[in-house]
Amino acid sequence: MDSTNSPIKPLSEIKTGDQVTLFSIKVGRELTSRLTSLGLTPGTVIEVLQNFGRGPLIVNVRGTHVALGRREAARLLVQGVELQ
Amino acid sequence: MNAGCHDTGSPQTKKHLAVKGSPLIALAGQPNVGKSTVFNLLTGLNQHVGNWPGKTVERKEGKFKYAGREYRLVDLPGTYSLTANSPEELITRDFILTEAPDLVVALVNAANLERSLYLVAELITLPAPLVVVLNMMDVAGQAGITIEANVLEAALGVPVIPLTATHAESTPHLLESIKKMVTSDVVQTPRVPEIRADHQEILDKMLCLLGEFVPSPYPENWVALKLLEGDREITQKMQAVLPPDRWGQIHALLKDHDDAMLAIASGRYEWIGRLTRAAVIHPKIGQISLTDRLDRWAAHPVFGLVLLGFILGLVFWLTFSLGSPAQQWFNTQIITPFGMMVNSWLAGSAGWLRSLIVDGIIGGVGSVLTFLPILIIFFATFGFLEDVGYMARAAYVMDNFMHWMGLHGKSFLPLFLGFGCNVPAVIGTRVIDSRKSRLLTILLAPFVPCTARMAVLAFLAPAFFGSQAIWVIWGLVFFSLFILVVLGVVLNRVLFKGERSAFIMEMPLYHIPNLRTIGMLIWQRSLSFVKKAGTIILLISVVVWALSVLPDGNIEHSALARIGQLVEPVGRWMGMDWKLTVALLTSFVAKENAIATLGILFGGVQDNGLSQTLATIYSPATALGFLTVSLLFIPCAATMSVIRQETGSWKWTFVNIGIMLVVSIAAGTAVYQIASALGL
């Protein structure tokens, strides 16, 4: 992981337009496998394209736009990327 | 580490001898890489659509000729990876391992190379020879992405072919490459992904433990990786073939390293990163794509719903302004004259034979076939919305609401299609990836009032309720949708224990729809419907006809009337006599048959005459009871046969019929009793 010391938060709490790094995935094996095949592995940069505070989110990961249920997003722990 | 037991450092080599006879080619790729476009491009109309044995997944196989040789092409289901999470993934890998195709053509999306190479990272470790096709080069070009295919080819160690499948002129190069691969002996030494360095030791240990126990045709290295990935099928297989003590050791190793799956996935992305760093030039960041701009509206929680409402309104408008007249035209200009023509041909033959062919077969199958124009409109809109990339947005904005019923957004559009006809609704559930959600959506689809049931409603309601009819119609439609929602919540609790399937979905980039792909989809779906009309629907029509004429040709004394009288006590709960009950029973062939049957039972009165006659005989309460039960009654023969086809099980088909039978009778009874109590 990058040496940023920003706090670890669930992805569901990240605002639209923010970029974060995926820290860990707290879902079952099968779901983890589906997430990784869509590009979500620890260390990946995730850009939140849409998060209205309720309902599913849209994120950009490795150039793919992925819709994630709020429940799933709450189980993806992320860390802020420090702005240069 | 025991270095003696396995030489894991050596590169994997794929060897394949030149093919005699007609080569077997498998087409693999992730969803949204344009796989069906390429498949159609190569095979044209020369293709066959069926199901994979024992599965409800579509299997497309086709043939094409090139340089005097015939090739067989099998379209493998679109999957993101090859871990056994879904039937699609199992089918893909089993086909490659056990059917040993002469060549696997892996399709990747050039505009989204990083993600779509993930499947290639898995395919490249399997024994079959591989070529990688970079599809959608035009889309990549528009997005400012430059890919050097030869650099990628050198880095991968397998041929890489750039392609724009929507332009026919790019086919020769692909065909030539396929030909070259199968007409000569091939030795490929591709560069394969490695597990992330910190887990290499664990992989080596696993390979040591597996030793010589891996059964053919599985590659040892692949089995070791799948075990570490927690693949359910391979775990069960290996547990069965390994001696218990050996399995115990493997099990312990897996338990200590349950994060190995992430190390494997990371390894694959590192491999992809190495490939693309050299071969791909990305545009400057900060460029806002068309997809981003469109999604600000299409995926917005408010505007997105407005847009969806607008699109659905348009579909309705198309159905009623184009579909309904086309249906009527089809009926009066083709089916009816055809029936009369056949009737005069058979003038000299026995009366029962004429009746069987004209009333039974042409009447039954014909009335089902008149729905073809409406079906075509629905298949076309569905295909168009899917191909353009909008379907994912509709699913996204409806997700919140659908979660209520234990479904997710992807179930919305198939259900909506049900307003036209339940047949495409049931077929449309193929877009839902979780089997549970798909089954629940299929069970609920027949509760959406289709045009045929709306026709019955529109025919009878005005005679009974005059100017209030419109409110009765809307009331009953909303009532059946309310029942659908309640049933969704209940079935989800009872059958699936409230388990909610996760919502993870790729939002593909918007792109210009390919008319050929949409046309092919309409053609295949319509063909399959017509085939069904010629088989199961034909059979059911004949049986219902036989019941309505036996023993003496008069429907009033027929076996069907007998059955009607037998179940009349149940009909009475809803205020119905045996005639209405029989009308309800014949709606099984096609929903609008209820009107035709009443026409026969009340002496062939046509047009508004019939509904006026009925209004003088029955009370409004009875009419409400009858209309309610008609709206919710068991699915018609055509819908039933696609439910059987799509669930792959008679059990679920009968569960569906049973649920509808109980719900329709209960609702019809309740409505009639309440209406009577109110003095209607």
Side-chain angles (χ1 to χ4, degrees):
Chain A
M1 226 48 26
D2 293 339
S3 58
T4 48
N5 291 321
S6 54
I8 292 165
K9 283 190 201 170
L11 178 63
S12 52
E13 286 174 18
I14 306 301
K15 287 199 299 282
T16 303
D18 282 1
Q19 280 197 11
V20 288
T21 312
L22 184 57
F23 182 75
S24 66
I25 303 175
K26 300 272 173 230
V27 296
R29 213 161 236 283
E30 206 176 300
L31 212 48
T32 307
S33 153
R34 283 180 61 195
L35 289 166
T36 53
S37 67
L38 275 169
L40 289 147
T41 50
T44 319
V45 175
I46 301 175
E47 181 193 359
V48 178
L49 296 175
Q50 183 167 306
N51 183 0
F52 282 95
R54 53 191 294 271
L57 291 78
I58 304 179
V59 298
N60 179 359
V61 52
R62 299 180 196 273
T64 303
H65 294 190
V66 179
L68 279 174
R70 185 150 292 273
R71 246 173 36 139
E72 286 70 57
R75 292 173 185 185
L76 295 179
L77 299 182
V78 296
Q79 208 170 19
V81 171
E82 266 186 299
L83 295 170
Q84 255 100 59
Chain B
M1 193 177 95
N2 181 359
C5 75
H6 250 283
D7 181 15
T8 53
S10 73
Q12 288 183 332
T13 307
K14 299 163 181 270
K15 288 196 191 90
H16 196 78
L17 297 178
V19 188
K20 299 184 185 77
S22 63
L24 178 64
I25 316 285
L27 190 61
Q30 292 191 337
N32 307 312
V33 297
K35 217 153 54 64
S36 18
T37 309
V38 172
F39 184 77
N40 291 336
L41 187 72
L42 290 175
T43 61
L45 279 173
N46 204 350
Q47 47 177 275
H48 172 78
V49 185
N51 272 8
W52 289 90
K55 300 266 167 47
T56 54
V57 179
E58 195 171 73
R59 182 188 203 272
K60 287 201 281 187
E61 190 175 341
K63 287 187 177 131
F64 64 91
K65 271 216 167 95
Y66 182 68
R69 211 166 193 201
E70 192 178 66
Y71 292 77
R72 287 176 296 149
L73 183 68
V74 174
D75 188 18
L76 298 173
T79 57
Y80 289 105
S81 73
L82 289 185
T83 297
N85 288 326
S86 72
E88 284 82 359
E89 285 145 353
L90 268 179
I91 289 168
T92 301
R93 70 191 205 187
D94 281 353
F95 185 86
I96 295 173
L97 285 168
T98 59
E99 305 283 314
D102 299 305
L103 180 66
V104 174
V105 176
L107 220 56
V108 297
N109 182 347
N112 205 335
L113 198 56
E114 220 184 333
R115 217 274 329 289
S116 58
L117 276 172
Y118 191 82
L119 183 67
V120 175
E122 294 224 48
L123 290 170
I124 208 161
T125 63
L126 297 178
L130 188 72
V131 294
V132 172
V133 173
L134 287 171
N135 193 24
M136 303 194 179
M137 285 301 279
D138 54 335
V139 183
Q142 281 155 22
I145 303 167
T146 319
I147 303 172
E148 291 179 56
N150 53 338
V151 177
L152 195 60
E153 180 168 314
L156 261 169
V158 304
V160 174
I161 307 154
L163 181 80
T164 301
T166 44
H167 299 295
E169 46 303 358
S170 54
T171 2
H173 185 42
L174 172 62
L175 287 169
E176 193 53 41
S177 308
I178 292 176
K179 183 189 143 209
K180 233 198 288 176
M181 287 293 283
V182 294
T183 46
S184 50
D185 296 351
V186 173
V187 180
Q188 291 185 323
T189 312
R191 213 168 300 162
V192 298
E194 284 152 17
I195 194 165
R196 205 175 59 208
D198 57 348
H199 277 69
Q200 185 63 49
E201 200 179 324
I202 293 140
L203 178 62
D204 291 342
K205 249 188 222 160
M206 179 61 85
L207 279 165
C208 260
L209 287 168
L210 285 172
E212 304 305 309
F213 291 107
V214 176
S216 83
Y218 298 103
E220 285 160 38
N221 206 46
W222 185 79
V223 168
L225 285 171
K226 284 296 158 201
L227 283 174
L228 288 169
E229 278 187 277
D231 185 282
R232 215 178 298 143
E233 196 217 9
I234 295 298
T235 308
Q236 280 167 5
K237 265 206 176 113
M238 291 314 293
Q239 191 175 1
V241 297
L242 282 165
D245 62 319
R246 188 60 74 95
W247 174 252
Q249 284 171 284
I250 289 182
H251 189 69
L253 185 68
L254 289 175
K255 245 177 104 184
D256 288 346
H257 300 282
D258 63 348
D259 58 338
M261 151 199 266
L262 291 173
I264 294 169
S266 300
R268 290 187 187 126
Y269 284 113
E270 279 168 23
W271 174 83
I272 292 170
R274 283 197 297 275
L275 293 175
T276 52
R277 252 192 303 280
V280 184
I281 302 160
H282 281 285
K284 290 188 204 84
I285 15 174
Q287 185 187 334
I288 297 165
S289 70
L290 176 70
T291 295
D292 286 327
R293 257 176 290 157
L294 287 174
D295 271 351
R296 272 182 208 161
W297 294 90
H300 189 276
V302 178
F303 305 128
L305 282 174
V306 173
L307 181 70
L308 179 62
F310 176 75
I311 289 174
L312 299 188
L314 203 67
V315 176
F316 259 125
W317 179 79
L318 270 177
T319 309
F320 286 105
S321 64
L322 281 178
S324 299
Q327 182 187 12
Q328 245 159 36
W329 179 88
F330 200 51
N331 194 15
T332 55
Q333 301 300 314
I334 306 224
I335 305 288
T336 312
F338 181 69
M340 292 196 312
M341 198 167 74
V342 173
N343 199 16
S344 60
W345 281 348
L346 297 172
S349 54
W352 68 266
L353 182 68
R354 220 162 15 144
S355 171
L356 166 68
I357 293 175
V358 178
D359 303 334
I361 297 175
I362 300 177
V365 174
S367 67
V368 171
L369 281 182
T370 59
F371 282 91
L372 202 55
I374 290 185
L375 286 180
I376 289 174
I377 290 181
F378 271 82
F379 290 143
T381 13
F382 202 72
F384 175 82
L385 292 175
E386 173 86 60
D387 205 50
V388 91
Y390 178 72
M391 212 67 114
R393 276 73 193 184
Y396 177 82
V397 293
M398 284 306 289
D399 187 59
N400 259 347
F401 176 74
M402 299 307 282
H403 260 174
W404 258 38
M405 288 186 268
L407 295 173
H408 62 58
K410 284 187 183 178
S411 300
F412 175 73
L413 274 165
L415 286 178
F416 174 76
L417 289 183
F419 281 109
C421 175
N422 291 172
V423 171
V426 173
I427 297 174
T429 60
R430 286 184 185 174
V431 299
I432 304 163
D433 42 23
S434 130
R435 167 147 178 91
K436 273 184 217 157
S437 303
R438 186 171 170 207
L439 187 60
L440 185 54
T441 313
I442 290 176
L443 293 180
L444 295 176
F447 283 93
V448 179
C450 62
T451 46
R453 277 174 277 179
M454 295 292 274
V456 176
L457 206 54
F459 182 78
L460 291 178
F464 283 92
F465 305 102
S467 60
Q468 303 299 311
I470 186 77
W471 301 111
V472 172
I473 292 174
W474 279 114
L476 286 173
V477 167
F478 277 105
F479 180 64
S480 49
L481 293 180
F482 170 73
I483 287 188
L484 184 154
V485 173
V486 171
L487 211 67
V489 176
V490 172
L491 284 179
N492 185 42
R493 289 275 156 79
V494 175
L495 294 176
F496 308 122
K497 319 250 172 334
E499 215 178 298
R500 207 170 59 176
S501 67
F503 185 59
I504 308 167
M505 179 182 66
E506 182 188 355
M507 306 277 268
L509 300 174
Y510 289 101
H511 55 85
I512 295 162
N514 183 245
L515 295 181
R516 200 188 162 109
T517 307
I518 300 171
M520 203 62 100
L521 186 93
I522 300 172
W523 165 249
Q524 281 158 357
R525 299 260 155 105
S526 306
L527 191 70
S528 133
F529 179 74
V530 171
K531 273 187 192 156
K532 220 160 286 138
T535 51
I536 185 160
I537 298 169
L538 176 75
L539 188 77
I540 293 169
S541 303
V542 169
V543 170
V544 172
W545 169 83
L547 289 175
S548 72
V549 294
L550 293 174
D552 66 354
N554 184 339
I555 192 167
E556 296 213 27
H557 313 135
S558 66
L560 195 63
R562 212 69 65 67
I563 297 169
Q565 282 149 2
L566 202 70
V567 294
E568 195 185 346
V570 178
R572 284 273 163 229
W573 300 346
M574 297 164 269
M576 288 156 44
D577 61 3
W578 72 267
K579 288 180 175 177
L580 287 179
T581 312
V582 165
L584 183 66
L585 292 178
T586 55
S587 74
F588 173 58
V589 175
K591 292 288 173 180
E592 78 283 13
N593 268 15
I595 308 277
T597 308
L598 286 173
I600 296 167
L601 287 172
F602 287 94
V605 204
Q606 286 302 316
D607 309 326
N608 277 340
L610 173 62
S611 56
Q612 295 307 333
T613 313
L614 294 174
T616 57
I617 300 173
Y618 300 110
S619 71
T622 297
L624 277 179
F626 177 72
L627 290 175
T628 307
V629 73
S630 299
L631 270 185
L632 301 169
F633 201 55
I634 60 172
C636 69
T639 307
M640 197 197 83
S641 67
V642 290
I643 292 173
R644 158 75 186 90
Q645 170 191 306
E646 297 300 314
T647 57
S649 123
W650 279 113
K651 189 190 105 190
W652 282 112
T653 311
F654 285 116
V655 166
N656 205 341
I657 293 173
I659 291 171
M660 295 200 74
L661 201 60
V662 171
V663 168
S664 62
I665 292 174
T669 307
V671 166
Y672 170 71
Q673 299 297 345
I674 292 169
S676 313
L678 293 173
L680 281 169

